Amino acid sequence: MPSPTAAARLGGPGPAAPPPEPDLRHHGDAEVRGADAGLTDLAVNVRTGTPPAWLKARIAASLDGLAAYPDGRAARRAVAARHGLPTERVLLTSGAAEAFVLLARALPARRPVVVHPQFTEPEAALRDAGHEVGRVLLDARDGFRLDPAAVPEDADLVVVGNPTNPTSVLHPAEALASLARPGRTLVVDEAFMDAVPGERAALAGRTDLPGLVVLRSLTKTWGLAGLRIGYVLAAPDTVAALERAQPLWPVSSPALAAAEACCTPRALAEAAEAAEAIAVDRDHLLARLGEFRQIRTAGPAAGPFVLIRLPDADRVRAALRDRGFAVRRGDTFPGLGPDWLRLAVRDRATTDRFVTALGEVLG
């Protein structure tokens, strides 16, 4: 009788090969680089038409002070006031991505767990720091909803997104809060929360939950991905530990100026209006996608993007590129596979052009 290896060579019932490990370092910007920069971008979740002129002017004005080392005190106070917190609970970072690296390197964790599908950088940072990372995989059949009971009780660091990239699912605040407990760090990535009308389900500003760490980004709503600015909201001792792991002057003066500007009442009102507009545009996108019987949409969607499932998605993605549209592949997210795509929400005219191209591809 042939060995299992021989049986596999002969086409017999050898052991099944494990599925390939997702590329945790792949991000949507890879879809629109270089020669592909001219594609209509549905792969990156940065709001179009940003940064606004008034914000560009604030950033430009900061350039006169580049000879001085960055001073983050005013920006830190502005972020603290925006969330009703003391300044010692705020840490400014070079984008939310830096915060994931700081958490992985500065906080002790025996059993870190990441709830997937979600932004892959937290797991990548933890692995780079030498951690063995557990995964809680949410189920598409249940709408990728979070079941707090699925998180291991002995997990001492838990990472979850809300609303979650790429599923666009908004988990109830009470479900997330139930994960907090003494001895556990609960990291909630709220990078897209300001795109949710009313920021319902937000935990930013909460001080009653032990071990809570909330991450925010200013790059998505305000179009500042190239400037790199985000922040951490956490207990003072956690903030101090993360700050010790930062290099000196980690946030540039222009980024600090942007952070301060984006926390003004005018900016918050503008962001709230943008969130309402995104919700309307998302409903239009979902309605148009509903015209295709082959497509299933994850949800209900709450973020500035939607996740769809369709057969032969890799071929569809390539054919859409030929027609001038870049969309985000889904197979690099743990818990998804090659039949998933993520689409950024755009204005109605762009959506209609995209749906026309999609109709051509799907026949």
Side-chain angles (χ1 to χ4, degrees):
M1 181 176 182
S3 68
T5 302
R9 286 199 303 267
L10 295 171
E21 183 67 15
D23 179 4
L24 301 180
R25 292 298 191 188
H26 180 87
H27 299 297
D29 61 310
E31 309 283 352
V32 287
R33 289 178 180 164
D36 296 324
L39 297 174
T40 297
D41 182 5
L42 277 70
V44 176
N45 296 321
V46 173
R47 185 165 63 101
T48 57
T50 54
W54 64 264
L55 182 53
K56 290 180 183 178
R58 286 287 297 271
I59 294 170
S62 73
L63 300 182
D64 290 337
L66 288 185
Y69 285 96
D71 182 352
R73 289 176 296 177
R76 192 175 184 181
R77 287 194 298 269
V79 171
R82 182 249 195 273
H83 293 287
L85 295 170
T87 57
E88 59 265 25
R89 296 187 72 97
V90 174
L91 180 68
L92 301 170
T93 58
S94 179
E98 187 204 11
F100 292 124
V101 173
L102 296 176
L103 288 164
R105 295 179 178 178
L107 300 186
R110 298 181 312 278
R111 190 179 183 190
V113 167
V114 179
V115 179
H116 286 290
Q118 80 147 17
F119 184 50
T120 54
E121 200 60 29
E123 179 171 331
L126 285 163
R127 291 184 181 277
D128 287 347
H131 295 283
E132 183 176 339
V133 184
R135 292 174 179 169
V136 172
L137 300 180
L138 304 184
D139 196 332
R141 293 169 297 182
D142 193 34
F144 296 110
R145 293 177 177 86
L146 173 66
D147 177 7
V151 177
E153 187 62 33
D154 62 345
D156 58 353
L157 189 150
V158 177
V159 185
V160 60
N162 204 37
T164 303
N165 171 19
T167 65
S168 203
V169 170
L170 185 69
H171 304 298
E174 56 270 22
L176 294 176
S178 71
L179 294 175
R181 61 206 59 193
R184 169 185 287 176
T185 300
L186 172 62
V187 181
V188 182
D189 177 8
E190 292 188 353
F192 293 99
M193 188 61 77
D194 60 353
V196 177
E199 296 195 5
R200 63 187 190 279
L203 295 184
R206 294 277 297 266
T207 60
D208 59 316
L209 299 175
L212 176 65
V213 176
V214 174
L215 308 185
R216 285 285 182 113
S217 170
L218 296 173
T219 63
K220 277 69 175 181
T221 288
W222 297 110
L224 299 175
L227 195 61
R228 312 307 307 141
I229 179 63
Y231 54 88
V232 177
L233 306 175
D237 57 341
T238 300
V239 167
L242 299 178
E243 192 169 19
R244 286 193 295 271
Q246 277 187 313
L248 292 174
W249 311 291
V251 182
S252 69
S253 296
L256 293 171
E260 188 175 359
C262 291
C263 290
T264 63
R266 170 188 175 176
L268 296 179
E270 184 174 325
E273 291 176 4
E276 297 288 351
I278 288 168
V280 173
D281 289 338
R282 183 180 61 242
D283 287 345
H284 180 68
L285 173 60
L286 291 171
R288 295 304 312 271
L289 292 173
E291 299 171 11
F292 300 95
R293 60 177 177 78
Q294 307 98 314
I295 293 177
R296 297 291 179 268
T297 305
F305 46 88
V306 300
L307 181 68
I308 64 172
R309 189 174 196 173
L310 71 164
D312 207 12
D314 276 348
R315 180 193 65 82
V316 171
R317 183 171 67 91
L320 286 169
R321 296 181 77 81
D322 292 339
R323 288 163 174 78
F325 292 90
V327 299
R328 174 66 158 89
R329 59 191 283 195
D331 61 339
T332 64
F333 294 99
L336 299 183
D339 50 350
W340 293 93
L341 298 174
R342 191 191 69 195
L343 312 174
V345 172
R346 299 295 185 234
D347 62 88
R348 293 169 64 98
T350 301
T351 290
D352 290 341
R353 288 194 300 108
F354 167 72
V355 169
T356 298
L358 182 61
E360 294 172 358
V361 173
L362 296 179

